[in-house]
Amino acid sequence: MSGLVLDRVSVSLGGQPVLHDVTLAVGAGALLAVVGPNGAGKTSLLRAVAGLAPYTGTMRLGSEMLGGGPAAARARRIAYLPQRSELAWALSVRDVVLLGRLPHGDPFSGATPQDVRAVAAALDRLGLAALADRPVTELSGGERARVMLARALATEAPLLLADEPTAALDPAHQLAVLGLLREIAAEGRTVLAVLHDLTLAARFADTVAVLDRGRLVAAGPPEETLSDALLGRVFGLACTRVAIDGRQVPIPLARL
Amino acid sequence: MTAALALLCILLAGLSLMAGPVWLPPADVLRGLAGGEGTAAIIVTDIRLPRTLLALTIGATLGLAGAALQGLVRNPLAEPTLFGAPAAAAFASAVVLAFGGASALSLALPLAGMAGAFVSVALLFLVAGQRTGIIVLLLAGLALNAFFGAATALVLNLAPNPFAALEIAFWLLGSLEDRSFVHLALAGPFMALGALLLASQAKAYRALTLGEEVAASLGTDVARSRLAVAAGLALGVGAAVSVTGAIGFIGLVAPHLVRRAAGSDPARILLPSALAGAALLTAADTLVRLVPATTEIKTGVVTALVGVPFFLWRILRIRRAEEGA
C-alpha cells in the first residue's frame, strides 16, 4: 500500500526505552492523529519517522524504505514541524517559508518557478500573503506558528509530520489548521499530527493512534479507538459525547 | 551594499599605502605600484603593500569567520575570540617562537597556529556538545581562553631568554608592523582555504535559522557543517593569528555592522561581513600609524579598545530587549 507503514519501531533515549515495538499503517490521503498523555512517546515517534532519532525496526513510505539514503532525498519526502519552532534571525515571512524549499535545491540563489509557486501557495493557504514581507520576529505567537506550518507545507513532501501544530493557536485558527491538514491529506498525502485536544483529534482525524508509556495501545477510526474505557484507562478522563459532522466526539468532563 | 563596501576597502587600502612616518601623495603610491623606482616606490611596494594586503585579507578572514560562527551557533554574540581559538593559536605560535627555534618567517608558525586553533575549536564543540545554548558555549570558550592565556604566560615564563619573551609579548598584542610578502605567502593559502570552507556552508547557516532539528529535517548534515566550520575557523583564524598575533572583535563587529543593510539572512551577510572586516582592520592598522607615539601602537590593542565597548553595548541592548519582552 502507499502511505506510511511502521513495523516494530522502537526508540531509546540515552539508554532509556521510550517507544516499544510500534506497528502502524497509515494510508496516503489520511490524517493520523497521535494522542497520548504527556511522556507517552508521541514526539519520539515523530522524530524517529523524521530520521532525527535512532530507532530499530523498519519504516516504509510508499514503496520505499525510510532510513539510510541521502539526507536531501529524505528531506524531499518528509516535512517535519517540531513542537517548538526556533528562529535565530529576523527573516521575512516569505524567506522562512522559502527555507522549506531547501531540500529541492538552493531557492535563495535561484528560485525555480516551482519554488515560487509552492511558497505562494503555502502563504495563501495559511492566510499569510499579506504578511509575506514582515520579519517573522515581529509577528504574534499564533502568526508565527502558521508561518512555520507554511514552511513545512512549502516542501510539498508526501509525508507531513506536525508536532502539536495547534498548540499556539486560538480556537478559530485551531479549527482552520486542522481543516487544512485534512485538506492536505485529501490531496493524497499522509499527515501525522500529534494532538493534545482529544475533541479535535476525534473530529478531524481519519485514524487515531493512542500511545501510552511508549506503547501503541490502540489505532483505528476515532469512534473505535477513543472509547470511554480507553479514555478512562489511558487519560484518566471521564468524557461526554457530542455529535459534530456526524461523529460522536468526546469532550472531557472530569478526572477519574 | 557589497559594492559600497568593496569601494570602501579600496579607498582605505589607498589611504593605508599613503599613511605612515612618511606621508606619500597618491601619485607616488601609484608610481610605486606601477613598478616605479626610488625611495617612495620601495616604501610602497616593500613596506606598505604587504602590510595593506595582510590587513585586507586577515580582516576579511576574521569578518567572515565571525559571520560563519554566528550562523553556525545561531547567535549574534558569537566571535572566534570569545571561544578561545585565537588564544589557542597564539599559545601554539608562542611555543614555536620560544622553543622551536623557528624564525617568525617559517611555515612552522602558521602550522602551529592552525593546529592550536583547531584543538580549541574541537575542544569547544566536544565540551559544549550538541544543541547547547550560547551560555554553555561562552562558558566553555571562557574556560579555554583562560587556559590558553595561562599556558601562554607559562611559555613567557619559561622562555629561554628575556628578549624572546619580550618579542612574544609584543607579538601577542597583535600587529601588522614589519610584515612582508613572505607572511602573506605563508598564511594566504590557508586563509583562502579556510574562507572557502566557511563559505561552503552558507546553505547550512540558512537552514540552521530554524534550529538544528529542522535543519536536519531539511537535509542539512549538521555534524558535517560543524566540522567544516571548525576546520575553516582553524585554518583561517589560526593562520591569521600566526601572522598578526591576537586581533580580536573584528568577527563580532563586522557582521553586526552589515546586518542592518544586508538583512538578517545568515548566508547573505557572509561576503559583506568579510568586506567590512577587511575595511575595519585596514582602518585600524592605518590609524595606529597616524597616532603620534614613540613606538607604534599595536593594532590588536585598537581593535580590542573599540570592540570591547561595542560588545558590552550589544549585551546591554539584548538585556533591554529581554526586559521589554
Side-chain angles (χ1 to χ4, degrees):
Chain A
M1 70 177 271
S2 59
L4 178 69
V5 179
L6 308 185
D7 189 18
R8 279 170 296 151
V9 169
S10 299
V11 177
S12 294
L13 279 184
Q16 207 69 14
V18 290
L19 211 59
H20 309 268
D21 286 345
V22 172
T23 297
L24 185 67
V26 207
L31 166 59
L32 171 83
V34 181
V35 301
N38 289 329
K42 305 182 293 295
T43 296
S44 295
L45 176 66
L46 249 62
R47 292 184 66 238
V49 177
L52 298 171
Y55 60 88
T56 58
T58 57
M59 299 187 192
R60 205 152 48 76
L61 179 62
S63 55
E64 288 177 73
M65 300 295 289
L66 290 180
R74 194 192 60 213
R76 281 193 291 274
R77 293 162 67 202
I78 306 177
Y80 172 65
L81 179 68
Q83 208 173 105
R84 295 182 48 145
S85 290
E86 274 185 54
L87 186 73
W89 310 105
L91 296 187
S92 71
V93 170
R94 189 191 312 280
D95 279 354
V96 170
V97 177
L98 198 54
L99 288 173
R101 298 299 297 172
L102 282 178
H104 299 275
D106 194 349
F108 288 83
S109 39
T112 62
Q114 204 181 345
D115 290 334
V116 175
R117 193 191 43 72
V119 168
L123 287 172
D124 208 39
R125 280 192 134 162
L126 285 147
L128 294 165
L131 300 176
D133 296 313
R134 292 265 301 277
V136 175
T137 40
E138 287 177 10
L139 304 184
S140 73
E143 288 167 333
R144 225 169 125 148
R146 278 152 58 206
V147 173
M148 294 306 169
L149 179 56
R151 189 274 303 162
L153 287 188
T155 307
E156 299 189 320
L159 175 61
L160 171 65
L161 308 171
D163 200 346
E164 296 190 31
T166 54
L169 302 178
D170 60 41
H173 280 110
Q174 289 184 20
L175 293 180
V177 161
L178 281 166
L180 177 63
L181 292 180
R182 199 158 67 175
E183 213 178 284
I184 290 161
E187 289 166 7
R189 296 196 243 173
T190 307
V191 181
L192 253 72
V194 170
L195 294 176
H196 267 305
D197 189 321
L198 298 170
T199 312
L200 290 176
R203 182 173 165 188
F204 286 95
D206 300 297
T207 310
V208 173
V210 185
L211 288 175
D212 187 22
R213 280 166 288 178
R215 291 179 197 281
L216 183 71
V217 293
E223 295 93 328
E224 290 169 24
T225 44
L226 297 177
S227 65
D228 287 344
L230 179 133
L231 292 174
R233 194 175 74 239
V234 174
F235 293 91
L237 281 175
C239 294
T240 183
R241 304 262 165 185
V242 172
I244 304 175
D245 302 339
R247 290 186 184 190
Q248 289 292 320
V249 171
I251 294 181
L253 278 184
R255 279 183 70 181
L256 286 177
Chain B
M1 171 77 183
T2 306
L5 278 169
L7 189 67
L8 180 67
C9 285
I10 292 170
L11 288 176
L12 284 167
L15 191 64
S16 157
L17 290 173
M18 288 158 56
V22 184
W23 265 96
L24 296 176
D28 283 4
V29 169
L30 286 175
R31 206 172 304 125
L33 289 178
E37 298 193 357
T39 323
I42 290 172
I43 292 178
V44 168
T45 52
D46 286 3
I47 299 177
R48 292 189 189 166
L49 187 59
R51 185 168 178 168
T52 303
L53 289 177
L54 277 169
L56 286 170
T57 50
I58 290 172
T61 301
L62 296 176
L64 177 66
L69 190 61
Q70 293 183 1
L72 182 75
V73 305
R74 312 187 293 285
N75 196 297
L77 290 183
E79 212 294 63
T81 316
L82 299 173
F83 293 92
F91 161 69
S93 303
V95 169
V96 170
L97 279 178
F99 305 113
S103 81
L105 288 179
S106 78
L107 193 61
L109 207 56
L111 287 179
M114 286 182 286
F118 191 80
V119 166
S120 93
V121 177
L123 267 178
L124 181 80
F125 286 138
L126 206 68
V127 171
Q130 293 198 2
R131 294 208 265 150
T132 41
I134 189 74
I135 307 244
V136 173
L137 277 174
L138 279 173
L139 285 173
L142 182 75
L144 289 174
N145 253 330
F147 178 79
F148 286 113
T152 307
L154 186 66
V155 172
L156 287 174
N157 261 184
L158 300 178
N161 72 68
F163 296 109
L166 191 68
E167 198 182 342
I168 294 169
F170 269 120
W171 176 81
L172 283 175
L173 293 175
S175 170
L176 286 162
E177 206 177 348
D178 299 334
R179 301 302 193 271
S180 68
F181 278 113
V182 180
H183 290 97
L184 191 63
L186 283 177
F190 296 114
M191 290 195 289
L193 195 60
L196 278 179
L197 271 171
L198 294 173
S200 73
Q201 299 304 310
K203 195 174 160 182
Y205 307 142
R206 222 171 232 146
L208 280 165
T209 301
L210 298 172
E212 291 192 3
E213 291 236 301
V214 174
S217 82
L218 288 170
T220 306
D221 187 339
V222 178
R224 205 181 60 184
S225 296
R226 214 185 264 271
L227 192 66
V229 172
L233 284 178
L235 287 170
V237 175
V241 167
S242 64
V243 168
T244 61
I247 288 187
F249 292 98
I250 301 263
L252 177 73
V253 178
H256 179 78
L257 289 180
V258 299
R259 202 164 272 134
R260 186 157 297 167
S264 308
D265 182 339
R268 216 169 285 159
I269 68 159
L270 292 175
L271 180 61
S273 182
L275 290 172
L280 280 172
L281 188 56
T282 309
D285 189 52
T286 309
L287 186 70
V288 295
R289 279 178 265 162
L290 298 180
V291 174
T294 45
T295 53
E296 191 175 296
I297 294 173
K298 301 293 177 189
T299 309
V301 174
V302 173
T303 60
L305 283 178
V306 175
V308 172
F310 177 83
F311 184 59
L312 291 173
W313 173 73
R314 284 291 301 156
I315 292 175
L316 197 69
R317 286 237 335 226
I318 288 171
R319 203 198 75 197
R320 286 212 183 113
E322 276 173 359
E323 281 170 356

